[in-house]
């Protein structure tokens, strides 16, 4: 029997914004540790809210959520130490002439106590992380001069360069072209296979990572489905969440979800 606490344990979790919007309602689920989890659901379904609540950036109205056994309401400082977070919209001030290397190194330096000097090991880890996303040659480039997709890859590299048993990435592929998306997925998959790490990734389109993830959590303000990617690919369920045009297709024994979000259902009539 495993003595390790679950990666995430949510019990009757509800989260309300100050304007009264109930973004999450009665959310209960458990995800065991050592996983690559995709969090999916339509716009406004509460995916980002869930990640922010795990990090203690938002407080539950009701219920609780724990990360590796730590309650997000009380132990958020411990959780932030354990988690490497890539937010949906980066907060980097683009008028500050930071170089790519400064951004990637931030993944290691921000969790150190001041004074935050980078060591040779920090540089090596940062370079290796940039290599994983295929952007070695941009080490000395000013970050604001990068394309949207390159910036996303650098932010993923920042998380890869860091330490801590949990990575949380909120739509890391948004705004990235197909090549950049593939690089991000491959980098995460490779890193996951080589390291003892949990990855939680919010995504609009499950299809590119369908074969990579171990678990899927499908949200629509509350939990609509949780389990193995193929196990939650139920036609009634995806129609309920994504609307009547959603489809399930089967390819080589795997089920894929075709939704308006994945951009495919608009072209196949
Ligand atoms: N700061 C805020 N103040 C008030 N309401 C908010 C705030 N942030 C989000 N919401 C609301 O909470 C709900 C869930 O939002 P959330 O950002 O978690 O959804 P999401 O699933 O991440 O959506 P997307 O796919 O667009 O990123 C939405 O109805 C949204 O309008
Ligand atoms: Mg979001």
């Amino acid at each position: 029997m495993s003595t390790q606490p679950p990666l995430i344990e949510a019990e009757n979790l509800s989260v309300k914004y100050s304007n009264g919007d109930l973004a999450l309602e009665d959310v209960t689920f458990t995800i065991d540790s050592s996983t690559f989890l995709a969090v999916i659901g339509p716009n406004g379904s509460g995916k980002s809210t869930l990640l922010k609540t795990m990090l203690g950036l938002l407080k539950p109205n009701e219920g609780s959520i724990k990360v590796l056994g730590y309650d997000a309401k009380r132990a958020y400082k411990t959780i932030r130490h354990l988690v490497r977070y890539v937010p949906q919209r980066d907060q980097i001030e683009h008028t500050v002439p930071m170089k790519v290397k400064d951004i990637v190194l931030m993944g290691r330096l921000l969790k150190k106590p001041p004074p935050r000097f980078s060591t040779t090991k920090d540089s090596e880890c940062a370079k290796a992380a940039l290599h994983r996303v295929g952007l070695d040659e941009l080490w000395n480039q000013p970050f604001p001069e990068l394309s949207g997709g390159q910036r996303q890859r650098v932010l993923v590299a920042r998380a890869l360069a860091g330490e801590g048993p949990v990575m949380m990435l909120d739509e890391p592929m948004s705004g990235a072209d197909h090549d950049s998306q593939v690089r991000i997925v491959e980098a995460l998959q490779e890193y996951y296979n080589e390291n003892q790490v949990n990855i939680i990734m919010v995504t609009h389109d499950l299809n590119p990572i369908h074969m990579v993830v171990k678990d899927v959590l499908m949200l629509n303000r509350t939990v609509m489905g949780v389990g193995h990617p193929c196990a939650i690919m139920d036609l009634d369920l995806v129609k309920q969440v994504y609307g009547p045009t959603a489809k399930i297709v089967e390819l080589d024994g795997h089920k894929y979800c075709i939704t308006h979000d994945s951009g495919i259902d608009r072209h196949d009539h």
Side-chain angles (χ1 to χ4, degrees):
M1 203 179 78
S2 164
T3 52
Q4 224 183 356
L7 171 62
I8 307 293
E9 199 174 9
E11 263 182 77
N12 307 113
L13 176 76
S14 294
V15 180
K16 204 187 255 181
Y17 283 98
S18 49
N19 62 1
D21 273 2
L22 201 53
L24 293 172
E25 187 174 12
D26 203 14
V27 168
T28 298
F29 68 92
T30 301
I31 302 285
D32 284 330
S33 195
S34 301
T35 193
F36 193 146
L37 169 72
V39 180
I40 63 169
N43 287 137
S45 57
K47 305 179 296 295
S48 298
T49 301
L50 183 70
L51 256 52
K52 288 179 192 164
T53 311
M54 288 175 191
L55 288 163
L57 299 170
L58 294 170
K59 301 286 175 217
N61 266 71
E62 282 173 44
S64 65
I65 188 157
K66 289 181 184 165
V67 179
L68 293 174
Y70 295 100
D71 188 301
K73 206 167 171 175
R74 289 189 291 271
Y76 61 90
K77 284 188 182 155
T78 308
I79 292 173
R80 279 182 220 172
H81 210 75
L82 299 173
V83 174
R84 320 177 211 172
Y85 175 47
V86 180
Q88 185 165 4
R89 277 168 271 284
D90 79 72
Q91 310 286 324
I92 294 164
E93 183 50 71
H94 289 187
T95 53
V96 180
M98 283 180 103
K99 291 192 170 173
V100 166
K101 63 180 172 189
D102 302 320
I103 304 285
V104 183
L105 275 166
M106 258 160 58
R108 299 193 62 79
L109 300 188
L110 287 181
K111 287 189 182 165
K112 285 188 182 184
R116 298 185 169 108
F117 296 120
S118 64
T119 61
T120 312
K121 188 183 175 205
D122 292 329
S123 288
E124 279 169 12
C125 289
K127 279 185 179 154
L130 201 58
H131 178 70
R132 280 190 190 272
V133 298
L135 293 180
D136 315 53
E137 74 283 1
L138 297 185
W139 180 250
N140 271 311
Q141 288 285 313
F143 184 73
E145 290 178 12
L146 269 48
S147 72
Q150 288 172 329
R151 276 187 210 153
Q152 289 296 93
R153 280 153 75 179
V154 170
L155 294 176
V156 171
R158 182 180 67 179
L160 293 173
E163 284 171 9
V166 187
M167 289 176 68
M168 289 185 190
L169 307 109
D170 196 343
E171 306 219 24
M173 301 189 295
S174 73
D177 67 9
H178 179 73
D179 278 359
S180 284
Q181 291 194 5
V182 170
R183 290 312 288 244
I184 289 171
V185 173
E186 284 178 355
L188 290 172
Q189 180 176 26
E190 198 181 87
Y191 188 80
Y192 175 73
N193 290 339
E194 291 170 12
N195 295 274
Q196 291 272 326
V197 69
N198 294 279
I199 300 182
I200 301 174
M201 176 170 161
V202 171
T203 178
H204 256 93
D205 189 1
L206 185 60
N207 294 329
I209 55 162
H210 176 275
M211 302 288 279
V212 177
V213 297
K214 274 175 77 177
D215 293 298
V216 177
L217 174 69
M218 193 188 265
L219 279 183
N220 206 1
R221 205 161 67 133
T222 193
V223 178
M224 303 303 290
V226 59
H228 185 268
C230 280
I232 68 149
M233 288 301 143
D234 172 76
L235 187 59
D236 288 340
L237 178 62
V238 299
K239 279 182 188 282
Q240 202 184 330
V241 174
Y242 290 99
T245 60
K247 294 180 182 65
I248 301 278
V249 293
E250 216 164 322
L251 203 64
D252 294 335
H254 289 277
K255 289 181 184 164
Y256 294 86
C257 180
I258 308 296
T259 67
H260 194 71
D261 272 2
S262 64
I264 302 172
D265 73 330
R266 281 167 276 168
H267 307 287
D268 63 352
H269 298 297

